[in-house]
Amino acid sequence: MILSSEQEAALIAAARAAGENAYAPYSDYQVGSALLFDDGAVITGSNVENASYGLALCAETVAVSRAFGEGRRGGLVAVAVTGPLDKGDGAPITPCGRCRQVLNEIAQLGGTDPLVLCVGKDEVRRVTLSELLPHAFGPSHLV
Ligand code: THU
């Protein structure tokens, strides 16, 4: 799905706002994520770290679990992911491998291939989830 520049800007702003609530005291790397659904709803998440470092939850995974918790089982049309502006080389942040798989679950349930807006300092990279996770394993394999 193609979003208007206003829709993209609003989704990115929602991800950025969510990132401000990130609990990332160990990495100091605050991530925000915003999911846009086909009814216009936006569900956000931010990363939640843990003193047991390996238990960190990524922003995208938090957002997807919130969406499932609200009863959503598809309809995902776009995702925005933002990272801190003062870290790294400013390249667009892309969802980690686990998050790609987690996003795929809700996408495949609804038969969509969401646009993923990977936000960098001066650039937004627009890719589809299937480009990030080709030949995905998903719920359709289990029926
Ligand atoms: N992180 C995310 O929230 N999403 C990603 O897709 C990549 C990484 C978080 C996990 C951890 O809290 C911090 O970024 C540094 O890896």
Side-chain angles (χ1 to χ4, degrees):
M1 175 169 159
I2 295 176
L3 302 189
S4 68
S5 53
E6 291 79 12
Q7 284 175 308
E8 280 197 5
L11 198 62
I12 291 169
R16 276 241 175 275
E20 283 171 22
N21 289 326
Y23 174 67
Y26 306 108
S27 70
D28 194 33
Y29 191 85
Q30 295 83 7
V31 183
S33 173
L35 312 179
L36 175 66
F37 289 86
D38 54 7
D39 61 355
V42 173
I43 295 180
T44 62
S46 55
N47 52 333
V48 180
E49 297 185 345
N50 191 281
S52 179
Y53 296 169
L55 300 183
L57 300 174
C58 288
E60 304 91 311
T61 291
V62 169
V64 170
S65 75
R66 289 177 80 183
F68 271 104
E70 290 187 14
R72 293 188 181 268
R73 299 291 184 270
L76 180 62
V77 294
V79 180
V81 188
T82 61
L85 293 170
D86 59 347
K87 293 261 163 128
D89 60 4
I93 177 173
T94 53
C96 80
R98 183 175 190 263
C99 287
R100 296 175 195 201
Q101 183 69 30
V102 168
L103 287 163
N104 180 69
E105 186 76 17
I106 195 160
Q108 206 182 90
L109 281 178
T112 62
D113 184 11
L115 173 69
V116 183
L117 303 173
C118 306
V119 181
K121 199 156 185 265
D122 305 309
E123 181 197 348
V124 176
R125 183 172 296 155
R126 294 167 185 78
V127 289
T128 60
L129 183 61
S130 66
E131 287 173 319
L132 290 174
L133 189 69
H135 311 293
F137 177 80
S140 64
H141 286 95
L142 300 178
V143 289

